[in-house]
Amino acid sequence: EVQLVESGGGLVQPGGSLRLSCAASGFTFSNYWMSWVRQAPGKGLEWVANIKKDGSEKYYVDSVKGRFTITRDNAKNSLYLQMKSLRGEDTAVYYCARDGIGGITLHAFDIWGQGTMVTVSS
Amino acid sequence: DIQMTQSPSTLSASVGDRVTITCRASQSISSWLAWYQQKPGKAPKVLIYDASTLDSGVPSRFSGSGSGTEFTLTISSLQPDDFATYYCQQYNSYWTFGQGTKVEIK
């Protein structure tokens, strides 16, 4: 079964750090670009970061540049999001997603994890 | 940055109704548009990609059309399982989602 499973969410104080993980199974992880998408409580979806198949290219939404770092370990079939200098507005469910369908250069997201909640509060 | 605007934000409809949701891009995105369905507490699920291609397993009552800056998602006959929130997403230049359209029971 094709699956993505996130972990690492929790409660963190403003200014703190957190590292999210996403374990992939059921497909050849190294063949796909991967993304993180977040959803604040009661709000819409926001793309956060994206990483190339081999990790050589990374892209971020402006609001997290310099604070978040996306990485991957293809040997472990895992995707990561290191988050630093966290703010209240980073509070959200964070999903990992596979860039796997449609498009030519960029793709839509065909597989999603169940999400992990990050709460930034004192 | 490309902005995506969906309308309406909320739509009240009955089972069997034909439903149309519109998504407008702030600049041309060719056909690089997807539609997602999300139910409360669940991850989004892709319905349509490349503006009009139905993903595998998605019922044929869903259809997508448009190109350039204007796109529509149509549900030909609304079913009980279709009450959810729908998002459009462009993938022409990075990725941007619309703000969502909640389809609720009338």
Side-chain angles (χ1 to χ4, degrees):
Chain A
E1 180 191 4
V2 175
Q3 197 173 7
L4 298 170
V5 178
E6 301 94 337
S7 60
L11 175 63
V12 60
Q13 292 188 339
S17 299
L18 209 57
R19 188 198 196 205
L20 306 183
S21 299
C22 171
S25 59
F27 64 99
T28 304
F29 180 69
S30 59
N31 285 353
Y32 293 90
W33 291 62
M34 297 291 296
S35 284
W36 288 97
V37 177
R38 67 184 178 183
Q39 186 170 37
K43 302 298 183 182
L45 301 166
E46 180 183 41
W47 167 74
V48 172
N50 176 268
I51 187 168
K52 194 176 179 179
K53 302 174 189 181
D54 62 0
S56 61
E57 294 179 30
K58 305 173 185 182
Y59 302 96
Y60 301 92
V61 69
D62 285 347
S63 59
V64 309
K65 284 180 182 175
R67 299 189 300 122
F68 289 12
T69 302
I70 186 172
T71 58
R72 65 191 297 162
D73 185 336
N74 287 341
K76 295 183 178 180
N77 293 328
S78 293
L79 177 72
Y80 306 100
L81 187 67
Q82 178 69 51
M83 304 185 293
K84 299 180 180 180
S85 302
L86 283 161
R87 307 166 180 167
E89 54 264 39
D90 297 318
T91 294
V93 174
Y94 285 74
Y95 296 99
C96 64
R98 188 178 82 171
D99 298 14
I101 200 167
I104 297 176
T105 305
L106 304 182
H107 311 285
F109 304 154
D110 61 341
I111 305 296
W112 296 66
Q114 85 287 353
T116 188
M117 182 71 203
V118 172
T119 303
V120 183
S121 176
S122 55
Chain B
D1 293 2
I2 298 176
Q3 309 301 319
M4 306 300 292
T5 304
Q6 283 181 240
S7 60
S9 297
T10 306
L11 189 159
S12 297
S14 302
V15 172
D17 283 354
R18 181 181 181 88
V19 166
T20 299
I21 299 169
T22 299
C23 180
R24 288 186 174 87
S26 59
Q27 63 189 73
S28 178
I29 58 170
S30 186
S31 295
W32 308 131
L33 184 106
W35 289 97
Y36 298 85
Q37 178 193 66
Q38 187 181 34
K39 295 181 178 179
K42 300 294 186 182
K45 170 191 170 185
V46 66
L47 301 173
I48 289 168
Y49 60 93
D50 294 351
S52 60
T53 303
L54 213 61
D55 192 25
S56 175
V58 174
S60 58
R61 62 181 180 272
F62 291 92
S63 64
S65 65
S67 65
T69 62
E70 289 224 10
F71 303 85
T72 59
L73 171 69
T74 300
I75 309 172
S76 61
S77 178
L78 199 65
Q79 298 301 301
D81 191 50
D82 301 339
F83 292 98
T85 300
Y86 294 84
Y87 295 92
C88 61
Q89 177 209 38
Q90 68 82 19
Y91 44 99
N92 179 74
S93 175
Y94 299 106
W95 299 263
T96 317
F97 293 91
Q99 80 278 16
T101 296
K102 183 177 182 179
V103 177
E104 58 183 27
I105 301 172
K106 190 173 184 178

